[in-house]
Amino acid sequence: MALKSIEELDLKGKNLFLRLDLNVPLKNGVIKDDTRILAALPTIRYAIDKGAKIVLASHLGRPKTEEDKKNLSLQPVAERLGELLNVEVLLVAEPSSDAPKALLNGLKKNQIILLENLRFEESEEKNKKSLFEKWAQYTEVYVNDAFGSSHRAHASIVGLPQMVKTKGVGFLIKKEVDMLDKILKGNHSPFVTLLGGAKVSDKISVIETLVNKVDTLMVGGAMAYTFLAAHGTNIGNSLVEKDKIHIAKDIIERFKLRGKELLLPIDHLIVESFDKPHTAKLTDGESIPDGFMGVDIGPKTIDTYAKIIKNSGMVFWNGPMGIFETSDYSKGTFAMAKALAENPNLTIVGGGDSAAAVAMAGYSDQVTHVSTGGGASLEYLEQGQLPGIEVLKC
Ligand code: AMP
Protein backbone atom coordinates (compact mmCIF):
# COMPACT_ATOMS: atom_id res chain seq x y z
CA MET A 1 0.00 0.00 0.00
CA ALA A 2 1.56 3.21 -1.15
CA LEU A 3 0.69 6.83 -0.77
CA LYS A 4 0.83 8.58 -4.14
CA SER A 5 1.71 12.19 -4.60
CA ILE A 6 -0.28 14.33 -7.05
CA GLU A 7 2.70 14.07 -9.42
CA GLU A 8 2.03 10.36 -9.84
CA LEU A 9 -1.61 10.82 -10.89
CA ASP A 10 -2.92 11.35 -14.41
CA LEU A 11 -4.84 14.62 -14.25
CA LYS A 12 -5.27 15.59 -17.90
CA GLY A 13 -8.91 16.38 -18.64
CA LYS A 14 -9.98 14.70 -15.37
CA ASN A 15 -12.44 16.05 -12.82
CA LEU A 16 -10.27 16.62 -9.77
CA PHE A 17 -11.72 17.10 -6.28
CA LEU A 18 -9.01 18.96 -4.38
CA ARG A 19 -9.53 19.20 -0.61
CA LEU A 20 -7.58 22.16 0.76
CA ASP A 21 -7.18 24.00 4.02
CA LEU A 22 -8.35 27.50 3.15
CA ASN A 23 -9.41 28.18 6.73
CA VAL A 24 -8.07 31.73 6.92
CA PRO A 25 -8.84 34.31 9.63
CA LEU A 26 -11.53 36.75 8.43
CA LYS A 27 -12.75 40.00 9.91
CA ASN A 28 -15.80 41.67 8.39
CA GLY A 29 -15.23 39.74 5.20
CA VAL A 30 -11.58 40.76 4.92
CA ILE A 31 -8.82 38.13 4.96
CA LYS A 32 -6.46 38.92 7.85
CA ASP A 33 -3.75 36.45 6.94
CA ASP A 34 -3.58 34.67 3.58
CA THR A 35 -0.73 32.28 4.51
CA ARG A 36 -2.92 29.20 4.01
CA ILE A 37 -4.09 30.38 0.59
CA LEU A 38 -0.51 31.04 -0.49
CA ALA A 39 0.57 27.64 0.83
CA ALA A 40 -2.12 25.91 -1.27
CA LEU A 41 -1.06 27.56 -4.53
CA PRO A 42 1.67 25.11 -5.71
CA THR A 43 -0.74 22.16 -5.68
CA ILE A 44 -3.52 24.13 -7.41
CA ARG A 45 -1.09 25.53 -10.01
CA TYR A 46 0.27 22.05 -10.68
CA ALA A 47 -3.25 20.71 -11.28
CA ILE A 48 -4.08 23.64 -13.58
CA ASP A 49 -0.86 23.10 -15.57
CA LYS A 50 -1.65 19.40 -15.97
CA GLY A 51 -5.07 20.22 -17.45
CA ALA A 52 -7.31 19.01 -14.61
CA LYS A 53 -10.88 20.30 -14.26
CA ILE A 54 -10.76 21.44 -10.67
CA VAL A 55 -13.28 21.49 -7.83
CA LEU A 56 -11.71 23.03 -4.73
CA ALA A 57 -13.17 22.33 -1.30
CA SER A 58 -12.39 23.60 2.20
CA HIS A 59 -13.97 24.34 5.54
CA LEU A 60 -13.78 27.78 7.16
CA GLY A 61 -14.16 28.31 10.92
CA ARG A 62 -16.92 26.71 12.92
CA PRO A 63 -20.27 27.97 11.60
CA LYS A 64 -23.13 27.23 14.00
CA THR A 65 -25.82 29.86 13.47
CA GLU A 66 -27.28 31.48 10.34
CA GLU A 67 -25.39 34.64 11.29
CA ASP A 68 -22.10 32.65 11.31
CA LYS A 69 -22.90 31.52 7.80
CA LYS A 70 -22.87 35.11 6.58
CA ASN A 71 -19.49 35.74 8.20
CA LEU A 72 -17.86 32.49 7.18
CA SER A 73 -18.47 32.41 3.45
CA LEU A 74 -15.53 31.46 1.25
CA GLN A 75 -16.40 34.39 -1.07
CA PRO A 76 -13.35 36.49 -0.04
CA VAL A 77 -11.17 33.41 -0.50
CA ALA A 78 -12.64 32.88 -3.98
CA GLU A 79 -11.73 36.46 -4.88
CA ARG A 80 -8.18 36.16 -3.52
CA LEU A 81 -7.61 32.87 -5.33
CA GLY A 82 -8.87 34.42 -8.55
CA GLU A 83 -6.35 37.27 -8.24
CA LEU A 84 -3.44 35.03 -7.32
CA LEU A 85 -4.07 32.39 -9.97
CA ASN A 86 -5.42 34.72 -12.63
CA VAL A 87 -8.43 32.48 -13.17
CA GLU A 88 -12.17 32.85 -12.72
CA VAL A 89 -13.25 31.13 -9.49
CA LEU A 90 -16.85 29.93 -9.63
CA LEU A 91 -18.21 29.72 -6.07
CA VAL A 92 -20.90 27.06 -5.70
CA ALA A 93 -23.25 28.13 -2.90
CA GLU A 94 -24.40 24.62 -1.98
CA PRO A 95 -21.58 22.06 -1.79
CA SER A 96 -24.09 19.18 -1.94
CA SER A 97 -25.85 20.43 -5.07
CA ASP A 98 -25.60 19.14 -8.64
CA ALA A 99 -24.22 22.51 -9.77
CA PRO A 100 -20.55 21.42 -9.86
CA LYS A 101 -21.43 18.51 -12.12
CA ALA A 102 -23.14 20.82 -14.58
CA LEU A 103 -20.36 23.40 -14.39
CA LEU A 104 -17.64 20.79 -14.96
CA ASN A 105 -19.18 19.86 -18.30
CA GLY A 106 -18.60 23.27 -19.78
CA LEU A 107 -15.66 24.37 -17.63
CA LYS A 108 -13.26 26.64 -19.50
CA LYS A 109 -9.46 26.52 -19.16
CA ASN A 110 -9.31 29.69 -17.08
CA GLN A 111 -12.07 28.63 -14.67
CA ILE A 112 -12.00 26.62 -11.47
CA ILE A 113 -14.84 25.71 -9.13
CA LEU A 114 -14.80 26.37 -5.40
CA LEU A 115 -17.43 24.78 -3.17
CA GLU A 116 -18.80 27.06 -0.45
CA ASN A 117 -17.67 26.39 3.16
CA LEU A 118 -18.07 22.62 3.61
CA ARG A 119 -19.17 23.07 7.20
CA PHE A 120 -22.35 24.80 5.99
CA GLU A 121 -23.36 21.19 5.28
CA GLU A 122 -24.06 19.33 8.51
CA SER A 123 -23.25 16.09 6.73
CA GLU A 124 -19.58 17.07 6.28
CA GLU A 125 -18.56 16.57 9.90
CA LYS A 126 -20.92 13.60 10.23
CA ASN A 127 -19.31 11.95 7.22
CA LYS A 128 -22.71 11.24 5.69
CA LYS A 129 -22.95 9.07 2.64
CA SER A 130 -25.64 11.28 1.09
CA LEU A 131 -23.03 14.05 0.82
CA PHE A 132 -19.92 12.19 -0.34
CA GLU A 133 -21.92 10.13 -2.83
CA LYS A 134 -22.92 13.38 -4.54
CA TRP A 135 -19.28 14.38 -4.87
CA ALA A 136 -18.31 10.89 -6.02
CA GLN A 137 -20.71 11.27 -8.97
CA TYR A 138 -18.34 13.70 -10.63
CA THR A 139 -14.97 13.06 -8.96
CA GLU A 140 -12.49 11.13 -11.12
CA VAL A 141 -9.39 11.99 -9.14
CA TYR A 142 -9.24 12.94 -5.45
CA VAL A 143 -6.35 14.83 -3.88
CA ASN A 144 -6.08 15.87 -0.25
CA ASP A 145 -3.77 18.74 0.65
CA ALA A 146 -5.46 19.73 3.92
CA PHE A 147 -3.05 18.25 6.44
CA GLY A 148 -4.56 20.18 9.36
CA SER A 149 -7.90 18.41 8.81
CA SER A 150 -6.62 14.94 7.99
CA HIS A 151 -7.09 13.61 11.51
CA ARG A 152 -10.83 14.11 11.14
CA ALA A 153 -13.11 11.48 9.61
CA HIS A 154 -15.22 13.98 7.70
CA ALA A 155 -17.03 13.44 4.39
CA SER A 156 -14.48 15.38 2.31
CA ILE A 157 -11.51 13.78 4.11
CA VAL A 158 -12.47 10.13 4.46
CA GLY A 159 -15.93 9.46 2.95
CA LEU A 160 -15.25 10.67 -0.58
CA PRO A 161 -11.77 9.15 -1.10
CA GLN A 162 -13.12 5.77 0.00
CA MET A 163 -15.19 5.86 -3.19
CA VAL A 164 -12.48 7.08 -5.57
CA LYS A 165 -9.81 4.86 -7.12
CA THR A 166 -7.33 7.46 -8.33
CA LYS A 167 -6.22 9.44 -5.31
CA GLY A 168 -3.25 10.93 -3.55
CA VAL A 169 -1.81 13.85 -1.62
CA GLY A 170 -0.80 17.35 -2.64
CA PHE A 171 2.59 18.96 -2.06
CA LEU A 172 1.81 20.22 1.45
CA ILE A 173 0.81 16.85 2.87
CA LYS A 174 3.68 15.14 1.07
CA LYS A 175 6.12 17.43 2.86
CA GLU A 176 4.38 17.01 6.22
CA VAL A 177 4.40 13.22 6.01
CA ASP A 178 8.05 13.10 4.88
CA MET A 179 9.10 15.28 7.79
CA LEU A 180 7.01 13.61 10.46
CA ASP A 181 8.14 10.18 9.26
CA LYS A 182 11.70 11.34 9.85
CA ILE A 183 10.77 11.93 13.47
CA LEU A 184 8.99 8.62 13.82
CA LYS A 185 11.60 6.50 12.12
CA GLY A 186 14.80 8.39 12.59
CA ASN A 187 17.26 8.12 15.37
CA HIS A 188 18.07 11.73 16.05
CA SER A 189 18.98 11.54 19.67
CA PRO A 190 18.65 13.19 21.98
CA PHE A 191 15.02 13.80 21.00
CA VAL A 192 13.42 16.53 23.06
CA THR A 193 9.89 17.83 23.00
CA LEU A 194 8.68 21.18 24.22
CA LEU A 195 5.00 21.31 25.03
CA GLY A 196 3.02 24.32 26.15
CA GLY A 197 -0.37 25.91 25.75
CA ALA A 198 -3.41 26.04 27.90
CA LYS A 199 -4.52 22.50 28.55
CA VAL A 200 -3.01 19.21 29.61
CA SER A 201 -6.25 17.50 28.59
CA ASP A 202 -5.70 18.26 24.88
CA LYS A 203 -2.25 16.72 24.94
CA ILE A 204 -2.52 13.77 27.31
CA SER A 205 -2.51 11.11 24.66
CA VAL A 206 0.46 12.60 22.86
CA ILE A 207 2.39 12.89 26.11
CA GLU A 208 1.67 9.24 26.77
CA THR A 209 3.13 8.28 23.40
CA LEU A 210 6.07 10.60 23.89
CA VAL A 211 7.00 8.76 27.07
CA ASN A 212 8.28 6.02 24.79
CA LYS A 213 9.94 8.26 22.24
CA VAL A 214 11.53 11.30 23.86
CA ASP A 215 14.64 11.63 25.97
CA THR A 216 13.44 14.85 27.55
CA LEU A 217 10.02 16.48 27.73
CA MET A 218 9.95 20.14 28.71
CA VAL A 219 6.64 21.65 29.74
CA GLY A 220 5.65 25.31 29.76
CA GLY A 221 2.52 27.43 29.43
CA ALA A 222 -0.51 26.94 31.64
CA MET A 223 -0.12 23.17 31.25
CA ALA A 224 2.89 23.33 33.51
CA TYR A 225 0.84 24.48 36.51
CA THR A 226 -1.23 21.31 36.48
CA PHE A 227 2.04 19.34 36.59
CA LEU A 228 3.46 21.58 39.33
CA ALA A 229 0.24 21.16 41.32
CA ALA A 230 0.71 17.40 40.96
CA HIS A 231 4.09 17.83 42.70
CA GLY A 232 2.36 19.73 45.48
CA THR A 233 3.96 23.04 44.45
CA ASN A 234 1.98 26.19 45.21
CA ILE A 235 0.70 27.72 41.96
CA GLY A 236 -1.30 30.69 43.32
CA ASN A 237 -4.18 31.65 41.03
CA SER A 238 -2.61 30.22 37.88
CA LEU A 239 -4.75 28.41 35.36
CA VAL A 240 -4.97 24.78 36.39
CA GLU A 241 -7.02 21.74 35.42
CA LYS A 242 -7.81 20.36 38.86
CA ASP A 243 -9.47 17.24 37.46
CA LYS A 244 -6.31 16.40 35.52
CA ILE A 245 -3.84 16.61 38.41
CA HIS A 246 -4.03 12.84 38.95
CA ILE A 247 -3.17 12.28 35.27
CA ALA A 248 -0.23 14.65 35.56
CA LYS A 249 0.94 12.63 38.62
CA ASP A 250 0.67 9.43 36.64
CA ILE A 251 2.66 10.90 33.74
CA ILE A 252 5.40 12.13 36.10
CA GLU A 253 5.60 8.63 37.57
CA ARG A 254 5.86 6.99 34.16
CA PHE A 255 8.66 9.27 33.06
CA LYS A 256 10.51 8.38 36.25
CA LEU A 257 10.02 4.65 35.74
CA ARG A 258 11.39 4.82 32.22
CA GLY A 259 14.33 6.93 33.29
CA LYS A 260 13.23 9.82 31.06
CA GLU A 261 13.41 13.47 31.96
CA LEU A 262 10.27 15.55 32.45
CA LEU A 263 11.18 19.16 33.13
CA LEU A 264 8.90 21.81 34.60
CA PRO A 265 9.53 25.55 34.92
CA ILE A 266 11.86 26.49 37.77
CA ASP A 267 10.75 30.13 37.80
CA HIS A 268 7.90 32.20 36.41
CA LEU A 269 6.73 35.63 35.37
CA ILE A 270 3.71 36.32 37.56
CA VAL A 271 1.03 39.02 37.74
CA GLU A 272 -1.89 39.81 40.06
CA SER A 273 -4.25 39.38 37.16
CA PHE A 274 -3.93 38.94 33.42
CA ASP A 275 -4.87 42.57 32.68
CA LYS A 276 -2.38 44.07 35.17
CA PRO A 277 1.01 43.79 33.45
CA HIS A 278 2.34 46.58 35.73
CA THR A 279 2.16 44.08 38.65
CA ALA A 280 4.50 41.66 36.86
CA LYS A 281 7.43 40.20 38.79
CA LEU A 282 9.62 37.14 38.69
CA THR A 283 9.52 34.32 41.19
CA ASP A 284 12.68 33.00 42.82
CA GLY A 285 11.75 29.38 42.41
CA GLU A 286 8.99 27.17 41.09
CA SER A 287 6.32 28.16 43.58
CA ILE A 288 3.85 30.97 42.90
CA PRO A 289 2.50 33.00 45.84
CA ASP A 290 -1.24 33.29 46.49
CA GLY A 291 -2.80 36.28 44.76
CA PHE A 292 -0.59 35.85 41.67
CA MET A 293 -0.85 33.88 38.46
CA GLY A 294 1.86 32.62 36.14
CA VAL A 295 1.80 34.14 32.66
CA ASP A 296 5.18 33.13 31.23
CA ILE A 297 8.22 31.04 32.08
CA GLY A 298 10.99 32.91 33.91
CA PRO A 299 14.61 33.61 32.84
CA LYS A 300 16.16 30.57 34.59
CA THR A 301 13.68 28.27 32.87
CA ILE A 302 14.30 30.01 29.55
CA ASP A 303 18.01 29.44 30.00
CA THR A 304 17.65 25.78 30.93
CA TYR A 305 15.16 24.94 28.17
CA ALA A 306 17.08 26.91 25.52
CA LYS A 307 20.35 25.08 26.31
CA ILE A 308 18.68 21.68 26.01
CA ILE A 309 16.95 22.68 22.76
CA LYS A 310 20.15 23.95 21.18
CA ASN A 311 22.01 20.73 21.97
CA SER A 312 19.42 18.20 20.90
CA GLY A 313 19.42 15.99 17.81
CA MET A 314 15.77 16.65 17.18
CA VAL A 315 13.20 19.01 18.71
CA PHE A 316 9.44 19.01 18.38
CA TRP A 317 7.60 22.05 19.74
CA ASN A 318 3.88 22.56 20.23
CA GLY A 319 2.21 25.24 22.33
CA PRO A 320 3.30 28.62 23.72
CA MET A 321 5.21 29.03 27.00
CA GLY A 322 2.93 31.80 28.23
CA ILE A 323 0.15 34.16 27.20
CA PHE A 324 2.33 35.21 24.27
CA GLU A 325 -0.47 37.16 22.53
CA THR A 326 0.27 39.87 25.15
CA SER A 327 3.74 41.23 24.43
CA ASP A 328 4.59 41.64 28.15
CA TYR A 329 4.14 37.90 28.57
CA SER A 330 5.73 36.70 25.33
CA LYS A 331 9.45 36.57 26.20
CA GLY A 332 9.56 32.85 27.02
CA THR A 333 7.77 31.80 23.86
CA PHE A 334 9.96 33.94 21.61
CA ALA A 335 13.12 32.74 23.39
CA MET A 336 12.10 29.16 22.59
CA ALA A 337 11.57 30.11 18.92
CA LYS A 338 15.11 31.55 18.91
CA ALA A 339 16.59 28.45 20.53
CA LEU A 340 14.98 26.23 17.89
CA ALA A 341 16.33 28.48 15.15
CA GLU A 342 19.82 28.11 16.65
CA ASN A 343 19.71 24.32 16.63
CA PRO A 344 21.46 23.05 13.47
CA ASN A 345 19.70 19.66 13.63
CA LEU A 346 16.11 18.63 13.04
CA THR A 347 13.62 21.19 14.40
CA ILE A 348 9.88 20.80 13.93
CA VAL A 349 7.18 23.22 14.99
CA GLY A 350 3.72 21.71 15.32
CA GLY A 351 1.32 24.31 14.02
CA GLY A 352 -0.99 26.80 15.73
CA ASP A 353 0.42 29.28 18.22
CA SER A 354 3.98 27.98 18.15
CA ALA A 355 4.06 28.31 14.36
CA ALA A 356 2.69 31.85 14.68
CA ALA A 357 5.36 32.67 17.29
CA VAL A 358 8.17 31.35 15.07
CA ALA A 359 6.80 33.39 12.15
CA MET A 360 6.37 36.54 14.27
CA ALA A 361 9.96 36.19 15.49
CA GLY A 362 11.13 35.86 11.89
CA TYR A 363 12.58 32.33 12.29
CA SER A 364 10.29 30.31 10.01
CA ASP A 365 13.17 29.81 7.56
CA GLN A 366 15.57 28.69 10.27
CA VAL A 367 13.62 25.68 11.51
CA THR A 368 13.50 22.43 9.57
CA HIS A 369 9.74 22.23 9.30
CA VAL A 370 6.72 24.23 10.39
CA SER A 371 3.71 21.95 10.32
CA THR A 372 0.44 23.38 9.08
CA GLY A 373 -1.58 21.35 11.57
CA GLY A 374 -1.03 21.32 15.33
CA GLY A 375 -3.59 18.64 16.22
CA ALA A 376 -2.89 16.64 13.07
CA SER A 377 0.88 16.62 13.56
CA LEU A 378 0.52 15.55 17.18
CA GLU A 379 -1.87 12.77 16.20
CA TYR A 380 0.44 11.63 13.40
CA LEU A 381 3.32 11.40 15.85
CA GLU A 382 1.09 9.52 18.24
CA GLN A 383 -0.48 7.03 15.86
CA GLY A 384 1.97 7.03 12.94
CA GLN A 385 -1.00 7.65 10.66
CA LEU A 386 -4.09 9.80 10.11
CA PRO A 387 -7.50 8.63 8.84
CA GLY A 388 -7.43 11.10 5.94
CA ILE A 389 -4.03 9.83 4.80
CA GLU A 390 -4.55 6.10 5.38
CA VAL A 391 -7.62 6.19 3.13
CA LEU A 392 -5.46 7.38 0.24
CA LYS A 393 -3.07 4.44 0.33
CA CYS A 394 -3.69 1.97 -2.47
P1 AMP B 1 -3.32 25.53 23.26
O1 AMP B 1 -4.39 25.81 22.25
O2 AMP B 1 -3.69 24.53 24.30
O3 AMP B 1 -1.96 25.26 22.63
O4 AMP B 1 -3.17 26.87 24.10
C1 AMP B 1 -2.76 28.09 23.57
C2 AMP B 1 -3.14 29.19 24.52
O5 AMP B 1 -2.56 28.94 25.79
C3 AMP B 1 -2.66 30.55 24.09
O6 AMP B 1 -3.76 31.33 23.72
C4 AMP B 1 -1.97 31.10 25.34
O7 AMP B 1 -2.33 32.44 25.64
C5 AMP B 1 -2.48 30.19 26.44
N1 AMP B 1 -1.55 30.15 27.58
C6 AMP B 1 -0.25 29.83 27.56
N2 AMP B 1 0.29 29.99 28.77
C7 AMP B 1 -0.68 30.43 29.59
C8 AMP B 1 -0.74 30.79 30.97
N3 AMP B 1 0.34 30.77 31.73
N4 AMP B 1 -1.94 31.17 31.47
C9 AMP B 1 -3.03 31.23 30.68
N5 AMP B 1 -3.04 30.91 29.37
C10 AMP B 1 -1.88 30.52 28.83
Side-chain angles (χ1 to χ4, degrees):
M1 300 267 272
L3 183 66
K4 288 198 175 111
S5 122
I6 188 170
E7 290 170 295
E8 297 168 77
L9 307 174
D10 179 16
L11 301 178
K12 197 167 171 51
K14 298 277 178 7
N15 295 341
L16 167 70
F17 189 105
L18 181 51
R19 175 59 159 100
L20 299 173
D21 180 358
L22 302 173
N23 183 20
V24 291
L26 286 177
K27 199 162 185 194
N28 303 324
V30 178
I31 298 170
K32 288 286 151 207
D33 176 2
D34 64 359
T35 308
R36 287 191 166 142
I37 301 179
L38 299 177
L41 293 180
T43 300
I44 310 176
R45 283 207 177 103
Y46 179 85
I48 293 175
D49 289 349
K50 292 290 163 187
K53 297 203 278 181
I54 305 170
V55 178
L56 300 179
S58 174
H59 70 282
L60 179 63
R62 296 177 187 277
K64 289 201 172 72
T65 61
E66 283 305 308
E67 189 59 25
D68 288 346
K69 284 197 176 177
K70 273 188 226 140
N71 299 328
L72 294 172
S73 164
L74 279 170
Q75 179 65 45
V77 174
E79 284 164 22
R80 186 86 184 101
L81 277 172
E83 287 161 17
L84 290 164
L85 294 164
N86 200 20
V87 295
E88 188 185 353
V89 180
L90 311 171
L91 185 68
V92 171
E94 260 185 67
S96 62
S97 70
D98 289 322
K101 204 163 144 187
L103 286 170
L104 280 165
N105 281 331
L107 201 71
K108 299 196 187 102
K109 272 215 157 85
N110 66 339
Q111 292 179 323
I112 57 177
I113 298 166
L114 171 65
L115 302 183
E116 185 49 284
N117 189 349
L118 295 182
R119 291 200 182 150
F120 288 178
E121 301 275 352
E122 247 185 35
S123 309
E124 161 66 358
E125 291 185 69
K126 293 186 174 150
N127 193 19
K128 280 208 179 143
K129 210 172 178 183
S130 52
L131 180 60
F132 61 73
E133 270 183 352
K134 275 269 175 193
W135 295 332
Q137 283 174 15
Y138 55 81
T139 301
E140 292 173 290
V141 181
Y142 171 93
V143 168
N144 182 0
D145 213 16
F147 181 74
S149 302
S150 296
H151 56 317
R152 304 201 165 108
H154 292 171
S156 65
I157 298 287
V158 169
L160 174 62
Q162 268 166 349
M163 302 190 68
V164 182
K165 270 202 191 119
T166 312
K167 52 194 172 184
V169 293
F171 296 119
L172 282 176
I173 294 197
K174 176 85 176 68
K175 188 170 170 231
E176 294 277 0
V177 169
D178 287 349
M179 288 313 306
L180 296 173
D181 279 348
K182 262 196 202 176
I183 301 190
L184 281 170
K185 293 174 189 153
N187 177 16
H188 308 274
S189 70
F191 174 24
V192 311
T193 293
L194 177 64
L195 285 184
K199 288 187 180 166
V200 179
S201 46
D202 290 348
K203 288 161 193 172
I204 288 171
S205 50
V206 77
I207 296 175
E208 287 179 345
T209 314
L210 286 172
V211 160
N212 302 316
K213 297 194 190 326
V214 295
D215 295 294
T216 304
L217 170 64
M218 293 171 288
V219 181
M223 257 178 81
Y225 311 128
T226 303
F227 279 95
L228 286 169
H231 269 301
T233 305
N234 196 3
I235 52 160
N237 305 338
S238 305
L239 200 65
V240 64
E241 286 175 281
K242 287 207 171 105
D243 57 334
K244 297 291 175 308
I245 291 177
H246 67 285
I247 296 177
K249 265 189 192 151
D250 182 50
I251 292 171
I252 292 169
E253 213 35 53
R254 287 166 61 187
F255 267 77
K256 241 190 232 156
L257 281 173
R258 299 250 158 89
K260 307 280 176 83
E261 248 184 331
L262 192 161
L263 300 183
L264 299 174
I266 48 174
D267 61 346
H268 314 270
L269 180 71
I270 56 172
V271 290
E272 281 174 17
S273 75
F274 162 75
D275 55 354
K276 289 187 180 162
H278 59 280
T279 61
K281 58 179 187 176
L282 295 168
T283 62
D284 265 343
E286 63 245 34
S287 111
I288 296 175
D290 291 341
F292 282 86
M293 64 181 282
V295 287
D296 195 7
I297 53 175
K300 290 182 206 152
T301 311
I302 291 179
D303 219 39
T304 310
Y305 285 9
K307 269 193 195 116
I308 294 173
I309 289 171
K310 283 187 217 167
N311 293 316
S312 64
M314 178 162 70
V315 194
F316 179 81
W317 176 27
N318 178 273
M321 295 293 106
I323 308 175
F324 82 111
E325 299 91 336
T326 303
S327 67
D328 292 305
Y329 314 146
S330 66
K331 212 172 173 179
T333 301
F334 286 126
M336 296 301 102
K338 184 165 184 272
L340 253 83
E342 286 170 3
N343 176 311
N345 301 317
L346 211 53
T347 46
I348 291 129
V349 182
D353 291 329
S354 2
V358 169
M360 279 157 77
Y363 295 126
S364 298
D365 293 344
Q366 290 169 59
V367 294
T368 317
H369 181 56
V370 179
S371 173
T372 50
S377 57
L378 285 177
E379 196 170 317
Y380 194 87
L381 287 178
E382 215 181 282
Q383 316 274 348
Q385 60 163 59
L386 296 177
I389 294 179
E390 278 309 289
V391 71
L392 301 177
K393 293 184 177 165
C394 51

